[in-house]
């Protein structure tokens, strides 16, 4: 892994020559390092507890409501609760065929939501507070403008194609320990910071009965609380994909150099 | 310049954390749910306080149209007289069997604690109060939800009739099985918090909590206690011991 730092393109100060012009590695500011690790721990905790919560009811729906007696959009085979039986029909509410019904569940489901959900929300508090500080700092310090948002000149089809082909051939640039970032790298970070994590928080709030009582548009903008739950799951899957690729890129570009940069700065 | 920004941010984070600490220290008094030194309960308490601080107090949960009523599973204890059910209690299970055999004519709902006129209400007496019918969404903590029509008497009417004392801060609800839940006054006096005896235009079925269940529309389903037998008004927070949600590892406030 030391090769990454003694790469002929990069000198000991992190300055180097890439793509034919000199690029100085800027390192990570203290506040980006702190927020990176708080958010990292929060997101991993949220992903794990979110999965635990999903195991209790591994069915996803579209609309305002959905349950075992209504059709599912997606059924996930992720716990013994998947397509479990043990339903005894209740006397019907109405004699009309096809009218809403009730059934008694006799099956003992797997459910760790007591600690699962409380830990989920504890981690969510860390994410929301850190995320809010990060967003303000990112704007005030110019971090977003200078390092994250792609410049107009970068968005040329040729450059996008080159970066894409390079990544697909696993030609990963050696560790620079911080900005400047590549084009796809910027797109991935912007997607997580400005789209995926805000969507996770909004769809999470849209599932809460007290919050949607106060702000019903939160649920209706997603087509109902169960739709919000489904979207919440989809962004969870995208974020897990991001984490896998992110860690892979860290490893391929020089794990020790990148970790050192994200922990100590340079 | 950059250094200064960093210090300011750090100071802001520190003062933010300090104020969070002040918020959580309140957990020691008996006007808030206890944390037992458990970090998960501290997070729950922070969420509760944030909801009470930030959310509009008088907002109503969305009410739906008749055509929106959906199928609804009956889970948890679906018959307190059945020894095979979770949270079964032998003594009260036998009482439940007896009042059920009477068509709930012998059922009484006891109102006790910090009220001027404690007493017991029959089903017929509860039905003499002005009723409220609401078509609302039941959100189960498991992840599913359902829409049903509920008819009952607003809890506020009953508490006022019993002469709730001005010092009262919490209301505890005890069921025929070994389960109980508590509400603060904000949720207890909320217009959609009702003692429901009707569901989808019929008597409340056994599996859904006959003869009377609580409906708390701004919290998760497990706060809507089924098979009610006793309501206790208190000045202080009561964790309800072994039959309460807190000591079983579940959050007390679940407006989520």
């Amino acid at each position: 892994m030391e090769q990454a730092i003694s790469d002929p393109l990069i000198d000991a100060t992190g300055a180097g020559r890439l793509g034919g012009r000199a690029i100085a590695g800027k390192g990570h500011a203290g506040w980006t390092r702190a927020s990176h690790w708080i958010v990292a721990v929060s997101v991993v905790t949220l992903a794990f507890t979110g999965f635990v919560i999903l195991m209790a009811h591994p069915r996803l729906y579209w609309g305002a409501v959905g349950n075992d007696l209504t059709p599912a959009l997606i059924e996930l085979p992720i716990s013994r609760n998947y397509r479990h039986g043990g339903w005894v029909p209740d006397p019907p509410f109405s004699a009309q065929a096809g009218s809403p019904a009730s059934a008694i569940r006799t099956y003992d489901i797997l459910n760790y939501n007591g600690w699962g959900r409380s830990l989920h929300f504890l981690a969510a508090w860390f994410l929301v507070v850190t995320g809010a500080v990060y967003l303000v700092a990112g704007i005030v310090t110019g971090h977003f403008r200078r390092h994250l948002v792609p410049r107009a000149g970068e968005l040329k089809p040729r450059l996008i194609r080159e970066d894409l082909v390079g990544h697909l051939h696993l030609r990963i640039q050696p560790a620079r320990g911080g900005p400047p970032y590549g084009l796809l790298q910027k797109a991935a970070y912007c997607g997580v910071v400005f789209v995926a994590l805000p969507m996770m928080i909004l769809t999470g709030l849209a599932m809460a009965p007290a919050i949607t009582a106060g702000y019903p548009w939160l649920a209706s903008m997603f087509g109902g609380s169960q739709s919000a739950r489904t979207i919440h799951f989809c962004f969870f899957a995208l974020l897990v994909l991001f984490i896998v690729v992110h860690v892979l890129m860290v490893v391929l570009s020089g794990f020790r150099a990148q970790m050192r940069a994200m922990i100590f700065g340079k | 310049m950059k250094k200064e920004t960093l210090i300011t941010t750090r100071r802001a984070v520190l003062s933010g954390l300090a104020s969070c600490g002040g918020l959580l220290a309140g957990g020691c008094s008996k006007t808030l749910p206890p944390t037992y030194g458990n970090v998960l309960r501290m997070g729950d308490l922070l969420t509760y306080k944030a909801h009470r601080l930030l959310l509009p107090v008088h907002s109503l949960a969305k009410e739906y149209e008749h055509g929106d009523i959906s199928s609804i599973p009956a889970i948890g204890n679906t018959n307190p007289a059945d020894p095979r059910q979770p949270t079964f209690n032998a003594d009260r299970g036998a009482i439940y069997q007896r009042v059920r055999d009477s068509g709930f004519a012998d059922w009484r709902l006891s109102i006790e604690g910090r009220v001027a006129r404690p007493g017991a209400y029959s089903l017929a007496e509860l039905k003499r109060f002005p009723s409220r019918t609401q078509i609302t969404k039941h959100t189960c903590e498991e992840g599913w939800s359902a829409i049903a029509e509920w008819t009952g008497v607003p809890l506020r009417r009953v508490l006022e009739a019993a002469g709730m004392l001005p010092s009262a801060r919490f209301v505890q609800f005890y069921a025929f099985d070994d389960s109980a839940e508590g509400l603060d006054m904000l949720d207890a006096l909320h217009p959609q918090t009702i003692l429901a005896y009707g569901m989808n235009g019929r008597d409340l079925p056994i599996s859904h909590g006959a003869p009377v269940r609580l409906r708390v529309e701004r919290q998760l389903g497990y706060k809507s206690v089924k098979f009610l037998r006793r309501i206790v008004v208190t000045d202080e927070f009561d964790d309800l011991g072994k039959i309460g949600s807190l000591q079983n590892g579940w959050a007390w406030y679940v407006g989520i």
Side-chain angles (χ1 to χ4, degrees):
Chain A
M1 284 302 168
E2 277 304 316
Q3 293 95 310
I5 215 71
S6 60
D7 188 289
L9 291 173
I10 302 264
D11 68 26
T13 64
R17 292 178 59 79
L18 285 162
R21 62 194 172 93
I23 293 174
K26 294 181 178 182
H28 298 291
W31 65 273
T32 51
R33 282 180 277 135
S35 51
H36 173 271
W37 289 115
I38 297 171
V39 167
V41 173
S42 306
V43 166
V44 168
T45 308
L46 282 158
F48 170 69
T49 52
F51 193 84
V52 169
I53 295 166
L54 187 63
M55 283 199 299
H57 191 73
R59 299 177 104 232
L60 296 165
Y61 311 91
W62 199 257
V65 295
N67 57 63
D68 284 291
L69 309 179
T70 69
L73 188 68
I74 306 166
E75 290 181 275
L76 300 159
I78 56 169
S79 77
R80 70 162 189 257
N81 300 349
Y82 172 67
R83 292 184 174 169
H84 71 76
W87 291 97
V88 180
D90 241 357
F93 293 114
S94 144
Q96 243 180 311
S99 69
S102 174
I104 295 170
R105 188 173 71 199
T106 57
Y107 179 84
D108 181 29
I109 70 160
L110 175 140
N111 185 341
Y112 295 115
N113 287 355
W115 61 262
R117 192 176 280 105
S118 288
L119 185 54
H120 198 69
F121 281 65
L122 183 66
W125 273 113
F126 278 91
L127 175 68
V128 167
V129 173
T130 312
V133 172
Y134 173 83
L135 284 179
V136 171
I139 294 165
V140 170
T141 63
H143 174 60
F144 292 161
R145 186 170 40 80
R146 282 184 287 124
H147 304 140
L148 283 201
V149 180
R151 289 162 210 275
E154 286 178 296
L155 292 170
K156 293 194 176 106
R158 184 182 59 84
L159 294 177
I160 297 171
R161 196 173 57 240
E162 277 177 13
D163 203 14
L164 200 59
V165 170
H167 276 85
L168 290 176
H169 287 92
L170 290 182
R171 284 197 303 268
I172 308 304
Q173 296 191 346
R176 224 174 293 164
Y181 297 132
L183 188 52
L184 288 186
Q185 198 175 7
K186 283 182 176 180
Y189 294 168
C190 283
V192 168
V193 168
F194 302 122
V195 182
L197 290 178
M199 281 296 278
M200 283 312 259
I201 291 161
L202 284 175
T203 50
L205 295 174
M207 288 185 259
I211 295 169
T212 53
Y215 308 104
W217 53 266
L218 263 173
S220 52
M221 72 190 273
F222 297 116
S225 290
Q226 286 294 345
S227 304
R229 182 170 174 262
T230 301
I231 298 168
H232 198 74
F233 170 78
C234 292
F235 276 99
F236 152 81
L238 285 173
L239 281 167
V240 169
L241 181 68
F242 166 78
I243 291 168
V244 169
V245 174
H246 182 59
V247 171
L248 182 70
M249 290 299 118
V250 167
V251 169
L252 290 177
S253 64
F255 181 75
R256 283 176 63 175
Q258 296 283 39
M259 288 300 278
R260 195 184 304 129
M262 198 38 112
I263 294 169
F264 301 109
K266 284 293 302 177
Chain B
M1 187 62 205
K2 202 180 169 201
K3 193 77 184 162
E4 258 177 37
T5 315
L6 190 67
I7 289 167
T8 316
T9 312
R10 194 170 289 165
R11 203 171 278 162
V13 170
L14 284 177
S15 62
L17 284 175
S19 63
C20 284
L23 204 66
L24 297 179
C28 305
S29 78
K30 288 190 174 175
T31 55
L32 283 172
T35 61
Y36 314 111
N38 180 330
V39 70
L40 296 182
R41 301 287 84 86
M42 290 177 200
D44 294 342
L45 182 60
L46 177 63
T47 304
Y48 172 56
K49 297 208 72 161
H51 275 220
R52 287 295 176 254
L53 192 68
L54 300 173
L55 290 177
V57 171
H58 298 295
S59 62
L60 295 179
K62 182 177 177 177
E63 297 197 13
Y64 294 83
E65 303 294 319
H66 205 266
D68 297 325
I69 292 174
S70 74
S71 290
I72 180 167
I75 63 154
N77 192 315
T78 51
N79 177 10
D82 178 357
R84 293 165 303 173
Q85 297 270 333
T87 61
F88 171 73
N89 178 289
D91 297 339
R92 292 194 302 275
I95 300 171
Y96 186 80
Q97 183 66 57
R98 206 181 65 233
V99 297
R100 185 185 161 176
D101 289 343
S102 75
F104 296 112
D106 295 340
W107 175 86
R108 295 290 181 276
L109 180 65
S110 154
I111 315 274
E112 307 161 29
R114 303 290 291 159
V115 291
R117 296 173 291 278
Y121 294 78
S122 71
L123 195 53
E125 283 167 329
L126 285 183
K127 286 180 177 176
R128 277 202 288 275
F129 282 98
S131 74
R132 189 181 204 283
T133 293
Q134 58 202 32
I135 301 175
T136 50
K137 183 174 66 183
H138 179 93
T139 305
C140 180
E141 63 79 16
E142 292 168 6
W144 54 267
S145 52
I147 293 172
E149 182 195 75
W150 309 96
T151 301
V153 45
L155 176 64
R156 179 180 202 132
R157 297 264 184 188
V158 180
L159 293 179
E160 282 169 354
M164 185 178 67
L165 299 179
S167 60
R169 296 189 76 137
F170 296 96
V171 185
Q172 327 297 337
F173 304 85
Y174 293 85
F176 275 94
D177 61 342
D178 275 339
S179 65
E181 286 291 345
L183 295 179
D184 67 4
M185 278 303 162
L186 203 84
D187 273 331
L189 301 180
H190 187 265
Q192 287 172 319
T193 299
I194 63 172
L195 302 174
Y197 43 73
M199 180 183 183
N200 293 343
R202 301 195 168 189
D203 286 344
L204 187 67
I206 301 289
S207 60
H208 290 281
V212 173
R213 78 175 298 174
L214 184 64
R215 288 298 312 164
V216 186
E217 304 297 357
R218 296 192 302 181
Q219 293 203 47
L220 291 183
Y222 69 79
K223 298 300 283 190
S224 292
V225 181
K226 305 200 283 189
F227 315 109
L228 284 178
R229 67 178 178 92
R230 182 169 170 244
I231 293 176
V232 181
V233 180
T234 57
D235 291 351
E236 293 192 333
F237 187 89
D238 182 350
D239 75 357
L240 299 161
K242 286 187 166 53
I243 60 169
S245 48
L246 271 173
Q247 291 199 15
N248 287 297
W250 292 81
W252 173 78
Y253 175 75
V254 278
I256 289 296

